């Protein structure tokens, strides 16, 4: 199942709604106050932009559309993120979403050795089997977009355009000062512990906001919601 066009479709719908609202209010207003429509339309666009968008999704054809693989199952979860605070927030949020759907989250031991030159999914399979987990859920959190205020910039993975200079992967500093906010992406993967085969994956991204915790929570909700709709619960 592919949903790569979902994000663009949603953004276009938001934009059309905001434009329709502004045009209609300007035509019907006799008080000379069309500015109210502009404010409301801008608020609508802002709400749309801040909502996490599911960029893409894939399900193993052998799994089937209603596998219920995670229904009532023990699931070893791990979040892969450079920042340890972001990683812990992610694990807490993902665990909460799993519990809400009737699954039991478990974690790998803190001293589990993990090499940084390859994906963590395969490295965590022994820990998942040792914990009696039926599935492994890994969520990678990474910067997707950065915004510098004042001024305008867009950055992906530490590369950007605008009134700023890059100072490394995922980090940017504006020329002349300004506040930097980051929008994150979440890439979730489910692996069948018995076979060791990847069976489901999805990616979501959100717009830059100062509240990183809220962003991670919304991303976890979006990714797990997609897994729910894909019949994994």
């Amino acid at each position: 199942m592919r949903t790569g066009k979902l994000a663009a479709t949603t953004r276009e719908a938001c934009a059309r709604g905001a434009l329709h609202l502004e045009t209609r209010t300007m035509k019907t207003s006799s008080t000379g106050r069309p500015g109210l429509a502009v404010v409301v339309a801008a608020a609508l666009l802002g709400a749309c932009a801040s909502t996490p968008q599911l960029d893409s999704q894939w399900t193993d054809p052998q799994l089937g559309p209603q596998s219920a693989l995670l229904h009532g199952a023990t699931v070893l979860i791990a979040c892969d993120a450079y920042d340890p605070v972001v990683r812990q927030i992610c694990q807490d949020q993902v665990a909460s979403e799993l519990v809400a759907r009737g699954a039991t989250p478990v974690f790998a031991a803190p001293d589990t050795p993990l090499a940084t030159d390859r994906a963590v999914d395969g490295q965590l399979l022994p820990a998942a089997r040792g914990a009696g987990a039926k599935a492994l859920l890994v969520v990678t959190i990474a910067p997707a977009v950065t915004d510098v205020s004042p001024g305008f910039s867009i950055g992906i993975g530490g590369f950007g355009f605008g009134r700023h200079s890059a100072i490394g992967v995922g980090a940017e500093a504006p020329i002349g000062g300004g506040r930097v906010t980051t929008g994150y992406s979440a890439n979730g993967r489910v692996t069948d512990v018995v076979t060791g085969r990847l069976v489901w994956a999805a990616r979501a991204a959100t717009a830059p906001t100062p509240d990183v915790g809220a962003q991670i929570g919304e991303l976890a909700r979006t990714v797990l919601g997609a897994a729910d709709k894909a019949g994994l619960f």
Side-chain angles (χ1 to χ4, degrees), residues 42-216:
L44 177 59
L45 284 171
C48 291
S50 62
T51 302
Q53 305 295 330
L54 192 68
D55 292 337
S56 56
Q57 183 179 178
W58 170 84
T59 302
D60 183 352
Q62 297 182 37
L63 188 66
Q66 298 294 327
S67 65
L69 176 68
L70 306 181
H71 179 72
T74 297
V75 182
L76 189 139
I77 64 172
C79 284
D80 186 13
Y82 177 76
D83 189 316
V85 176
V86 170
R87 182 166 59 245
Q88 192 58 54
I89 292 173
C90 170
Q91 290 190 166
D92 291 346
Q93 295 289 351
V94 171
S96 177
E97 293 297 324
L98 278 174
V99 170
R101 291 169 172 80
T104 301
V106 293
F107 305 90
D111 58 350
T112 301
L114 295 173
T116 59
D117 61 346
R118 66 186 75 107
V120 300
D121 306 49
Q123 301 180 68
L124 288 170
L125 280 174
R129 290 168 181 146
K134 184 178 182 181
L136 167 67
L137 170 61
V138 176
V139 179
T140 298
I141 301 292
V145 179
T146 56
D147 179 77
V148 181
S149 179
F152 171 79
S153 70
I154 300 176
I156 300 177
F159 300 93
F161 306 90
R163 292 162 50 187
H164 66 281
S165 60
I167 56 172
V169 176
E172 297 178 338
I175 295 174
R179 186 181 66 182
V180 179
T181 54
T182 300
Y184 288 87
S185 67
N187 185 323
R189 289 101 60 193
V190 174
T191 300
D192 186 325
V193 170
V194 175
T195 64
R197 190 178 75 249
L198 178 70
V199 295
W200 180 86
R203 181 186 183 278
T206 188
T209 66
D211 193 339
V212 175
Q215 279 194 63
I216 303 303

